[in-house]
Amino acid sequence: MTRFIIRRVLFGVIVLWLVATTVFLLFFAGPADNVARRLAGPRAPMEVIEQIKDTLGLNRSMWEQYASFLGNLLHGDLGISFISQTPVTTLIMQSLPGTLWLVAGAAVLWMAAGITGGVISAVRPRSVLDRTTTVLVLAGISLPTFVLGMLMVYLALSVFPWTGLQPGPYISPLLDLKGFLQVMIMPWVCLAVVQAAVYVRLTRGSMLDTLGEDYIRTARAKGAPERRVTYRHGLRAALTPVVTQFGVDIGTLLGGVVVTESVFGLQGLGQLMIRSVRYGDLPVIIGAAILASAFIVVANIVVDVAYSFLDPRVRLA
Amino acid sequence: MALLEVSGLTVSFPTPDGVVRAVRGMSFEVERGRTLGIVGESGSGKSVSTQTLMGLTRGAEVSGSARFEGRELIGMPAEELRRLRGAQIAMIFQDPLSSLHPLYTVGWQIVELIRIHEPATTKAQARKWAIEQLALVGIPQPDRRVDDYPHQFSGGMRQRAMIAMALALQPKLIIADEPTTALDATVQAQILDLMARLQREFDTALIMITHDLGVIADMADQVLVMYAGKPIEVAERRELYYRPHHPYTVGLLESVPSTTGAKERLKPVPGQPPSLLRPPSGCAFHPRCPYVMPKCRTDVPPLMGEEHLSACWLPLDVVGLGPEAARRRTEESS
Ligand SMILES: Nc1ncnc2c1ncn2[C@@H]1O[C@H](COP(=O)(O)OP(=O)(O)OP(=O)(O)O)[C@@H](O)[C@H]1O
Ligand code: SF4
Ligand SMILES: [Mg+2]
C-alpha cells in the first residue's frame, strides 16, 4: 500500500516536472530579447526589457536558466505580473479562495443531488420518477452555464431582491458570513446544476449495471431488506466510477471555473486566467497553468489511492 | 404434508418481442430432508421456477401455487417472504465468484446474513459463528480466512463459503442452482460430497438443479426432468436412470459423459431448444422426438402415471435404455 502511494506520488512529480520543462522550453528557451519581450508584454519600454533580462539572468546558459527556473518554481516563485507588477504567487493566492469555496460548496450539492437522483432512477427504471429525472438531466446538461447564471442573477436582483443574493467578488466567510453566503449561493447552485446532471447519469448507469450483478441476487436471496440491497450492496459497488469521476472533476475545476466565476464576478482563478490571457500577461498564465496541472496531478493521485481503498481487488494487484 | 408443494406454477416475462413463457405449469414436491434433482437443458426454466418461489424473479407474471410448510409463497407479502429467504430457504448459485460481493470480506457477508435474521446477535458472536461455519465446510485456518475477500479464495473455496453461508441458519430447504458447473471436475466432486454430507448431518431438504444427470446420479432421491418450462418426467432416481420413459430423458441419459471421466458427450440430444415465445403445439418435444406420432403434434400430453410420472403419449410400460427399448418405442409410434 505504502509502496503503491510512493510510486504514484513519484509518477505525479515526474508529470509535473514534464509540464514545467515543457513550459520552460515553450516560453524561456530562445534568444534573450524574445523571451524578455514575451514576458514583459508588447508595449513594454526598452528599459523594462533590459531589466527583465537582468533579473531573470536571461543571458546565462540555457542549463543555468533551466536550473533557476525549476528552483524558483520549487520555492513558489512564479515571477511578476507585468500588468499589476505584483508577484504571480500573490495574485494566485488572492484568487484561489473564491475558486476553492466555489468548487467545495458546489461539490457537496452536486454529489448529494447526483447520487440521490441516480439511485432513485436506477431503482425504478422507466418509472415516472426515472423519466422526470432524465428530462431534468437533459435540461441540466444542455442549459449553457452562462444562460443559467444570467437567469439566476436576473431573478435574484429583480424578482427576489429581499434574498440579498447578488453577484460579486468572493468575501471571506471569516470576515462576513452573511455576505459570503449571499455571493456564493448562486454560483454554487449554478455550477452544481450542470455537474449534478452529469452525476445523475453516471450514477444511474453504474447503479443499473451493479443491480444486475449476481451478488445483488445473492443479497436478496439472503433476505436482506431492499434498502440494504440498494445501498450497502448496490450503491457501494456502483460508487467506484463516480468517485473516480469526482476526483478528476475536482482536479480540473480547482484550476479555475471560468464561466461560472465570470458570470457571477467571483474573482477566482478562472477569471484571473481570462484576464491574463486577454492582456497577454504571460507570467500569470504560466503560473496559473502550472497550478492547474498540479491540481489535476494531485487529484489523480488521490483518486488512485481512494480507488484502492474502495476496491480490495486493486490493493493487492 | 411435504415441506414444499409446488403446483401449476407458471412464470411469464413480458418483453418487447412478446411474452416469454419461461415456466408453463411446474408441479413437484420436496419432502423434509430429501433431495430433488431438477434436470434440463439451458433455458428450460430451472432457475426461473426456483427463483420465483423465493420472490426473486422481478417483472414476471406468476400464477399457480407453492406451499412451504403449508404457507403459500406465491403472493406472500414481500416482507414475510424476505424473512423466509436465507433463514428457512437458502440458495447456492452457479458462479461463486460473481455471487459473492467483491467489495466485502467473506466473513462480513456471512455475518450480514446472521444479523439480518438474528438481530440480537452481536457482531462478535456473529463473527465467531461465521468462523465456525467456515470450519464446518472445510476452509483451512477459518479464523484467518474469514477476513479474506472473495477474490483471495480459490473457486472451490468460494463455493464452500457460499455453502457455509447457506447453512448458517440451518434452513429447512436449500436450493442449489448448478452449484458445481463453474468448477473443475475434482473440485466438483469434493463440493458434491460436502453438500451430501452436510445435508445428511442437518437433515436439510435439497433441490439440486443441473443440466447434467451425472451430477445428481448419487445424490438425488427423486429426479424431475424439465423441458420447455414443464416437468416431463418425475421418478425415483433409480427408476428414472434405469427405466426412463420419456424420449427426452432417454436422450439425456444417453448423453451423460462416461464414468471414465471423459468430457465429451456420447450423443447430445439433437435439435434446437424450443422457443419460449411460441412453444411448439402439442408435445413441446415433438420437433426433436424420434418417435413422434400424429397425436403428438396436436395434443399436449399430461403427466401420467402413479409413482413414475411422464408426459409422453407412448404407452407407460415402454421404458428403459438401449436398442431393445428403442425398438419397442419405434414399434409403438409407427
Ligand atoms: N427477466 C427475464 N426476462 C425475460 N426472459 C427471461 C428472464 N429471465 C429468464 N428468462 C428466460 O426464461 C427462460 C428460462 O430461463 P432459466 O434461467 O430458468 O433457464 P435455466 O433452465 O436455468 O437455464 P440454464 O441452464 O442456462 O441456467 C430462458 O429462455 C430465459 O431467457
Ligand atoms: S409425446 Fe410424442 S413427441 Fe412427445 S415425447 Fe412422446 S412420443 Fe415424442
Ligand atoms: Mg439456470
Side-chain angles (χ1 to χ4, degrees):
Chain A
M1 190 65 209
T2 326
R3 275 186 44 207
F4 171 76
I5 296 178
I6 291 173
R7 216 172 43 224
R8 243 0 236 97
V9 170
L10 274 180
F11 183 68
V13 169
I14 291 173
V15 170
L16 281 179
W17 169 71
L18 282 175
V19 169
T21 307
T22 311
V23 165
F24 177 82
L25 289 175
L26 277 176
F27 300 112
F28 295 93
D33 280 338
N34 297 4
V35 174
R37 174 57 72 191
R38 248 184 250 148
L39 289 172
R43 279 180 294 277
M46 240 7 242
E47 308 89 85
V48 179
I49 303 275
E50 288 307 319
Q51 191 198 334
I52 287 185
K53 283 208 286 194
D54 237 35
T55 42
L56 291 184
L58 292 182
N59 291 321
R60 290 174 299 171
S61 81
M62 206 49 81
W63 286 113
E64 275 175 278
Q65 288 188 50
Y66 180 57
S68 71
F69 172 80
L70 287 183
N72 288 344
L73 217 53
L74 286 178
H75 289 107
D77 180 354
L78 297 165
I80 290 173
S81 156
F82 64 76
I83 300 289
S84 58
Q85 298 302 321
T86 341
V88 173
T89 320
T90 312
L91 287 176
I92 285 180
M93 289 320 275
Q94 282 167 358
S95 311
L96 189 57
T99 300
L100 273 180
W101 276 109
L102 169 61
V103 174
V108 173
L109 292 181
W110 93 60
M111 285 302 265
I115 292 178
T116 315
V119 170
I120 288 177
S121 52
V123 168
R124 301 202 187 295
R126 286 180 294 282
S127 67
V128 178
L129 215 55
D130 180 30
R131 286 177 205 274
T132 315
T133 320
T134 310
V135 171
L136 288 178
V137 164
L138 262 175
I141 288 180
S142 32
L143 198 63
T145 316
F146 74 90
V147 173
L148 178 64
M150 294 300 216
L151 193 68
M152 289 173 78
V153 172
Y154 167 76
L155 287 177
L157 294 184
S158 47
V159 184
F160 305 105
W162 49 268
T163 55
L165 297 183
Q166 52 184 298
Y170 161 80
I171 305 166
S172 163
L174 300 173
L175 296 177
D176 176 2
L177 186 59
K178 188 164 167 237
F180 167 77
L181 290 175
Q182 282 173 339
V183 294
M184 292 309 294
I185 285 180
M186 284 197 294
W188 280 340
V189 174
C190 183
L191 177 56
V193 164
V194 179
Q195 289 288 106
V198 176
Y199 279 75
V200 168
R201 264 200 183 175
L202 188 63
T203 310
R204 180 179 185 272
S206 179
M207 248 336 241
L208 279 178
D209 288 348
T210 308
L211 290 178
E213 293 282 351
D214 286 352
Y215 54 78
I216 296 296
R217 183 183 58 192
T218 308
R220 293 207 176 99
K222 268 171 154 181
E226 205 47 39
R227 277 188 73 85
R228 201 180 164 87
V229 174
T230 307
Y231 292 96
R232 288 306 282 272
H233 293 259
L235 184 58
R236 172 66 181 80
L239 222 42
T240 314
V242 178
V243 169
T244 309
Q245 181 69 32
F246 181 68
V248 172
D249 280 358
I250 292 287
T252 315
L253 289 173
L254 280 180
V257 195
V258 175
V259 179
T260 311
E261 285 177 18
S262 305
V263 172
F264 297 97
L266 205 61
Q267 309 287 1
L269 281 176
Q271 258 183 300
L272 178 67
M273 192 81 154
I274 289 285
R275 226 178 325 130
S276 318
V277 170
R278 185 174 306 138
Y279 295 119
D281 196 347
L282 194 59
V284 183
I285 298 176
I286 291 174
I290 289 180
L291 181 69
S293 339
F295 277 134
I296 291 173
V297 166
V298 172
N300 275 305
I301 296 175
V302 173
V303 164
D304 281 356
V305 174
Y307 201 89
S308 70
F309 274 106
L310 283 173
D311 193 333
R313 287 167 298 184
V314 175
R315 226 172 286 169
L316 294 161
Chain B
M1 180 182 66
L3 179 68
L4 177 67
E5 297 172 347
V6 177
S7 69
L9 183 71
T10 72
V11 187
S12 311
F13 296 97
T15 69
D17 302 329
V19 179
V20 175
R21 304 184 57 203
V23 179
R24 308 184 300 140
M26 186 66 168
S27 301
F28 62 86
E29 290 185 0
V30 186
E31 303 285 344
R32 275 163 223 279
R34 310 271 284 174
T35 299
L36 171 71
I38 298 184
V39 191
E41 62 195 354
S42 189
S44 55
K46 307 180 295 292
S47 301
V48 169
S49 52
T50 43
Q51 285 176 22
T52 299
L53 305 180
M54 313 245 311
L56 293 179
T57 37
R58 324 192 107 212
E61 287 162 8
V62 181
S63 72
S65 156
R67 289 177 171 275
F68 177 75
E69 296 192 298
R71 294 160 74 191
E72 181 58 57
L73 297 177
I74 308 300
M76 181 182 270
E79 180 58 21
E80 209 180 325
L81 191 56
R82 178 183 75 71
R83 282 201 215 119
L84 288 182
R85 286 202 294 265
Q88 304 278 329
I89 309 176
M91 273 196 103
I92 300 170
F93 297 103
Q94 175 172 342
D95 181 355
L97 181 58
S98 62
S99 298
L100 287 163
H101 201 298
L103 306 183
Y104 294 110
T105 63
V106 170
W108 186 95
Q109 301 186 49
I110 301 178
V111 165
E112 182 189 36
L113 168 84
I114 295 170
R115 287 181 29 108
I116 287 170
H117 295 285
E118 310 266 341
T121 324
T122 65
K123 279 206 174 115
Q125 285 168 332
R127 187 186 148 85
K128 213 172 137 248
W129 190 338
I131 294 172
E132 284 164 15
Q133 286 303 122
L134 291 178
L136 182 73
V137 297
I139 303 265
Q141 294 180 283
D143 50 333
R144 209 167 56 75
R145 302 310 298 260
V146 70
D147 294 321
D148 276 3
Y149 289 91
H151 72 272
Q152 293 167 287
F153 274 29
S154 69
M157 287 217 305
R158 279 179 212 129
Q159 199 57 296
R160 282 171 194 266
M162 283 297 279
I163 295 170
M165 183 151 81
L167 280 171
L169 299 173
Q170 301 208 1
K172 300 197 174 81
L173 173 65
I174 292 181
I175 300 173
D177 193 345
E178 309 206 27
T180 58
T181 309
L183 307 173
D184 58 45
T186 22
V187 182
Q188 182 168 341
Q190 290 166 5
I191 295 290
L192 290 175
D193 272 357
L194 175 74
M195 290 185 64
R197 179 167 67 73
L198 293 173
Q199 184 206 3
R200 271 196 304 278
E201 202 172 316
F202 295 104
D203 199 28
T204 317
L206 177 65
I207 295 178
M208 186 81 165
I209 297 172
T210 174
H211 55 250
D212 183 349
L213 271 165
V215 165
I216 45 173
D218 305 321
M219 264 184 105
D221 298 302
Q222 215 183 22
V223 178
L224 181 155
V225 182
M226 229 181 143
Y227 189 80
K230 284 185 184 180
I232 50 101
E233 185 156 16
V234 189
E236 290 295 313
R237 182 206 353 155
R238 292 184 63 83
E239 175 76 9
L240 189 109
Y241 277 75
Y242 294 108
R243 307 181 60 230
H245 176 258
H246 199 286
Y248 177 64
T249 313
V250 173
L252 277 183
L253 280 168
E254 286 175 346
S255 76
V256 170
S258 57
T259 41
T260 51
K263 272 252 167 177
E264 77 275 14
R265 304 276 142 162
L266 295 180
K267 194 171 90 185
V269 181
Q272 289 296 311
S275 152
L276 297 175
L277 285 167
R278 268 166 243 86
S281 61
C283 170
F285 188 57
H286 86 249
R288 294 165 77 181
C289 182
Y291 311 108
V292 55
M293 302 170 273
K295 189 183 187 183
C296 305
R297 296 184 224 272
T298 50
D299 297 5
V300 181
L303 266 181
M304 294 172 278
E306 296 291 325
E307 294 286 295
H308 182 161
L309 304 173
S310 175
C312 169
W313 290 122
L314 287 169
L316 283 179
D317 61 337
V318 184
V319 292
L321 293 163
E324 169 58 17
R327 194 187 55 75
R328 282 203 59 203
R329 285 192 181 92
T330 315
E331 222 162 64
E332 291 292 346
S333 61
S334 50

